[in-house]
């Protein structure tokens, strides 16, 4: 079993810097696990580490893909395994670094993804119905419910990307995704989580308040150093037909390069700028003050999206990675406190290198009180079980904006709804005074029973 080191954590926390420092100290090379940094150029919007800061450390799986191409997780897994095996034979330490969590997950464990069937990408595409991309989202959902009712009820009716992915799995494999998940669940129950490598993972963590301020400053710096030039260049290539946006509506921002935070957020601003440039006569459509206001609003949207993304990255580590790590001895996670940049050498660089050189490894929770707290996790259902036991709920009391019964997706949303003020008011309006308390008691007991069932 090959040995690898991985550096994970939120955007903007310093993962690339630590990866380079580990490589310099321990004779290693970087394997990129950031789905946006695979694209050629576009260094600002994808936050690539500047060449001079890489200190001559080779970086693989970076800067090689054209903007119109997509790089699927199976592509990454195949290519990353190739580089890990190659570097290991050359007595070089493979250091995987990046914030695309499902890339990292696919690499660490066997059977974490829908299995490849040996088909080429072109063969898979030939199996997909030609009209799939052109269908409306509700039409896709109807089709999914016909071939895979479990997954059809699993996804939110407006989540086009996930609905489409479930359909693609069905057409590419000839089997419902839910059936494949059941098979994976059975394998995990029989054999446990099987690590692909002996993995030492460093989780860089920074206090959210400090990190959020740092992320806001980074967005401002990106704007100063060429973000707008990159976005405008991409938009021109789309207009000229050199690059085609994938999908329709919001889906175009959920695939490939177009997921990069900043492109969607600044769309209103550059649309206004282009309208101004294309106007030949008459009063300007937008005053300079209007354009400044739109630009500032878009800047704040980008900052908010970046902060939300960082929060989701931490949630993934705690809710998905750590429970999986607890089931194997071949993967260890050490949390390093990157809150104080002035203490980086002591808290991050020196600590990481010392741990990597130690044998046997220390207890990860012994590093600090923060590590002991953040590395302690509540047992979670595995992804396959969550998907297969997920339910959609219809509230007979509350109505949506179109007058239909309100639909809640998943147990958490349902529990939050039945205990909400909105639901209680609707319940009180509908029920006679004497029956309101009895109905409330029934609803409360239902939620408590659900919660107790989830703990078993």
């Amino acid at each position: 079993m090959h040995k690898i080191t991985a550096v994970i954590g939120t955007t903007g926390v310093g993962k690339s810097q630590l990866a380079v420092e580990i490589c310099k100290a321990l004779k290693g090379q970087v394997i990129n696990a950031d789905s946006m940094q695979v694209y050629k150029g576009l260094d600002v919007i994808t936050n690539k580490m500047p060449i001079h800061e890489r200190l001559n450390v080779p970086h693989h799986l970076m800067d090689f893909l054209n903007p119109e191409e997509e790089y699927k997780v199976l592509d990454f897994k195949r290519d990353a395994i190739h580089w890990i095996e190659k570097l290991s034979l050359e007595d070089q330490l493979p250091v995987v670094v990046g914030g695309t969590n499902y890339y990292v997950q696919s690499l660490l464990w066997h059977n974490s993804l829908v299995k490849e069937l040996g088909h080429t990408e072109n063969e898979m595409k030939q199996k997909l119905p030609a009209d799939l991309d052109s269908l409306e989202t509700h039409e896709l959902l109807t089709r999914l419910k016909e071939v895979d009712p479990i997954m059809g009820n699993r996804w939110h009716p407006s989540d086009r990307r996930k609905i489409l992915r479930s359909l693609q799995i069905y057409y590419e494999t000839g089997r419902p995704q839910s059936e494949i998940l059941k098979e994976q669940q059975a394998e995990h129950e029989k054999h446990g989580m099987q690590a692909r490598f002996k993995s030492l993972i460093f989780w860089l963590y920074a206090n959210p308040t400090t990190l959020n301020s740092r992320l806001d400053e980074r967005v401002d710096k990106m704007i100063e150093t060429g973000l707008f030039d990159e976005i405008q260049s991409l938009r021109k290539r789309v207009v000229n037909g050199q690059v085609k946006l994938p999908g329709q509506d919001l889906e175009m921002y959920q695939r490939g390069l177009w997921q990069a935070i900043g492109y969607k957020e600044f769309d209103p601003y550059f649309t206004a700028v282009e309208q101004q440039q294309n106007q030949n006569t008459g009063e300007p459509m937008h005053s300079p003050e209007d354009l400044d206001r739109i630009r500032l609003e878009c800047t704040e949207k980008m900052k908010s999206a970046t902060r939300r993304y960082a929060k989701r990255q931490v949630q993934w580590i705690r809710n998905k990675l750590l429970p999986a790590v607890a089931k194997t001895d071949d993967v260890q996670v050490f949390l390093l406190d990157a809150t104080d940049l002035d203490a980086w050498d002591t808290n991050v660089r020196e600590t990481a290198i010392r741990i990597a050189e130690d044998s046997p490894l220390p207890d990860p929770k012994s590093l600090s009180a923060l590590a002991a707290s953040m590395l302690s996790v509540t047992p979670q259902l595995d992804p396959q079980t969550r998907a297969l036991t997920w339910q959609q709920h219809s509230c007979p009391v509350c109505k949506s904006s179109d007058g239909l019964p309100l639909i809640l997706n998943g147990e958490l949303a349902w529990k939050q709804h039945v205990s909400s003020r909105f639901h209680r008011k609707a319940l009180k309006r509908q029920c006679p005074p004497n029956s309101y308390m009895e109905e409330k008691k029934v609803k409360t007991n239902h939620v408590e029973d659900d919660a107790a069932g989830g703990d078993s």
Side-chain angles (χ1 to χ4, degrees):
M1 183 181 285
H2 295 307
K3 293 183 179 180
I4 68 169
T5 295
V7 183
I8 63 173
T10 65
T11 183
V13 78
K15 298 186 297 294
S16 297
Q17 179 179 340
L18 177 60
V20 167
E21 290 170 343
I22 291 173
C23 288
K24 295 297 288 185
L26 302 176
K27 192 184 174 187
Q29 297 185 24
V30 167
I31 298 173
N32 169 54
D34 186 303
S35 63
M36 297 295 99
Q37 294 184 4
V38 300
Y39 290 98
K40 294 178 184 177
L42 306 169
D43 295 351
V44 178
I45 197 170
T46 61
N47 285 299
K48 287 183 192 143
M49 190 180 203
I51 296 292
H52 70 275
E53 293 181 10
R54 300 179 196 177
L55 304 181
N56 295 318
V57 171
H59 283 57
H60 307 288
L61 303 187
M62 180 179 283
D63 213 35
F64 66 93
L65 207 66
N66 293 318
E68 65 274 13
E69 296 178 289
E70 291 187 53
Y71 194 60
K72 304 289 182 62
V73 63
L74 291 173
D75 299 324
F76 166 78
K77 184 183 76 170
R78 178 199 64 224
D79 295 343
I81 290 173
H82 162 77
W83 277 108
I84 288 171
E85 292 176 345
K86 185 175 187 298
L87 293 175
S88 299
L89 290 174
E90 296 172 356
D91 199 27
Q92 293 276 325
L93 175 66
V95 180
V96 178
V97 57
T100 302
N101 297 323
Y102 57 92
Y103 274 19
V104 176
Q105 182 174 332
S106 75
L107 195 59
L108 294 179
W109 284 279
H110 294 286
N111 302 328
S112 62
L113 300 171
V114 174
K115 292 181 179 178
E116 294 178 90
L117 300 181
H119 299 297
T120 66
E121 187 75 10
N122 287 334
E123 288 173 336
M124 288 183 179
K125 288 180 178 178
Q126 288 170 9
K127 293 185 176 186
L128 299 178
D131 64 342
L132 212 56
D133 274 338
S134 62
L135 291 177
E136 297 290 335
T137 303
H138 71 273
E139 294 174 315
L140 290 173
L141 183 59
T142 299
R143 187 173 293 191
L144 178 59
K145 287 182 176 180
E146 291 173 355
V147 300
D148 192 349
I150 293 177
M151 301 311 295
N153 287 319
R154 170 70 175 90
W155 303 131
H156 191 282
S158 64
D159 197 335
R160 181 181 180 87
R161 182 176 65 87
K162 291 180 180 177
I163 294 169
L164 190 58
R165 178 59 183 148
S166 291
L167 277 171
Q168 289 171 336
I169 289 172
Y170 171 76
Y171 287 117
E172 291 172 0
T173 66
R175 302 169 61 199
Q177 184 181 11
S178 57
E179 182 180 302
I180 297 173
L181 290 174
K182 288 178 183 177
E183 184 179 286
Q184 289 180 329
Q185 182 184 31
E187 287 189 11
H188 290 168
E189 289 175 354
K190 183 177 180 180
H191 303 293
M193 295 292 290
Q194 298 178 346
R196 181 176 278 112
F197 306 107
K198 195 82 172 176
S199 302
L200 172 62
I201 302 176
F202 293 111
W203 172 15
L204 288 192
Y205 179 83
N207 176 279
T209 302
T210 302
L211 178 66
N212 287 342
S213 176
R214 203 182 296 172
L215 294 177
D216 287 350
E217 292 174 2
R218 189 174 73 164
V219 170
D220 291 333
K221 185 176 180 181
M222 291 169 69
I223 293 173
E224 293 172 4
T225 55
L227 175 66
F228 286 2
D229 291 337
E230 290 186 355
I231 294 176
Q232 285 180 307
S233 174
L234 275 174
R235 291 173 70 93
K236 286 179 181 177
R237 294 173 72 177
V238 171
V239 170
N240 295 336
Q242 297 171 285
V243 176
K244 183 180 179 182
L245 285 168
Q248 55 180 273
D249 302 325
L250 290 177
E251 186 199 358
M252 69 179 65
Y253 300 119
Q254 297 173 340
R255 291 167 55 182
L257 172 65
W258 317 103
Q259 300 171 83
I261 296 175
Y263 190 86
K264 176 181 69 174
E265 287 73 18
F266 274 99
D267 182 70
Y269 173 67
F270 286 107
T271 297
V273 170
E274 289 160 5
Q275 289 172 341
Q276 197 87 320
Q277 292 172 343
N278 295 334
Q279 186 179 4
N280 295 322
T281 59
E283 289 292 322
M285 294 183 66
H286 304 282
S287 67
E289 291 77 17
D290 286 339
L291 290 176
D292 285 342
R293 174 183 55 78
I294 297 171
R295 178 175 54 79
L296 290 173
E297 289 174 353
C298 292
T299 301
E300 185 52 43
K301 285 182 181 178
M302 183 175 176
K303 291 178 178 179
S304 297
T306 305
R307 294 192 296 266
R308 290 195 302 271
Y309 179 52
K311 184 176 180 180
R312 290 197 303 272
Q313 288 174 307
V314 172
Q315 290 171 340
W316 175 83
I317 293 171
R318 299 205 70 196
N319 297 337
K320 293 188 178 181
L321 176 65
L322 294 183
V325 169
K327 299 176 182 179
T328 177
D329 294 327
D330 291 321
V331 182
Q332 293 276 0
V333 177
F334 289 85
L335 182 141
L336 304 175
D337 189 352
T339 303
D340 183 0
L341 294 180
D342 291 334
W344 174 274
D345 284 349
T346 302
N347 293 347
V348 178
R349 181 178 63 83
E350 294 173 4
T351 303
I353 294 171
R354 184 179 69 249
I355 291 172
E357 292 176 330
D358 276 353
S359 183
L361 294 173
D363 178 359
K365 293 181 181 178
S366 69
L367 290 191
S368 65
L370 177 64
S373 172
M374 296 299 292
L375 293 175
S376 299
V377 296
T378 303
Q380 301 278 333
L381 291 176
D382 62 83
Q384 292 78 20
T385 302
R386 281 203 307 273
L388 295 171
T389 59
W390 187 94
Q391 293 184 34
Q392 190 176 75
H393 298 271
S394 174
C395 181
V397 177
C398 303
K399 306 295 181 183
S400 64
S401 58
D402 54 9
L404 298 175
L406 189 64
I407 302 297
L408 288 308
N409 293 282
E411 296 303 312
L412 178 60
W414 172 249
K415 292 172 185 177
Q416 290 175 338
H417 171 71
V418 296
S419 61
S420 68
R421 183 180 300 177
F422 175 80
H423 176 75
R424 293 199 302 270
K425 285 185 176 180
L427 191 64
K428 194 172 184 179
R429 287 195 301 270
Q430 179 171 313
C431 298
N434 291 338
S435 63
Y436 168 65
M437 293 307 297
E438 186 64 28
E439 180 72 13
K440 182 178 179 183
K441 181 179 178 182
V442 171
K443 293 290 184 183
T444 302
N445 288 341
H446 173 69
V447 173
E448 291 174 348
D449 290 344
D450 281 350
D455 291 336
S456 61

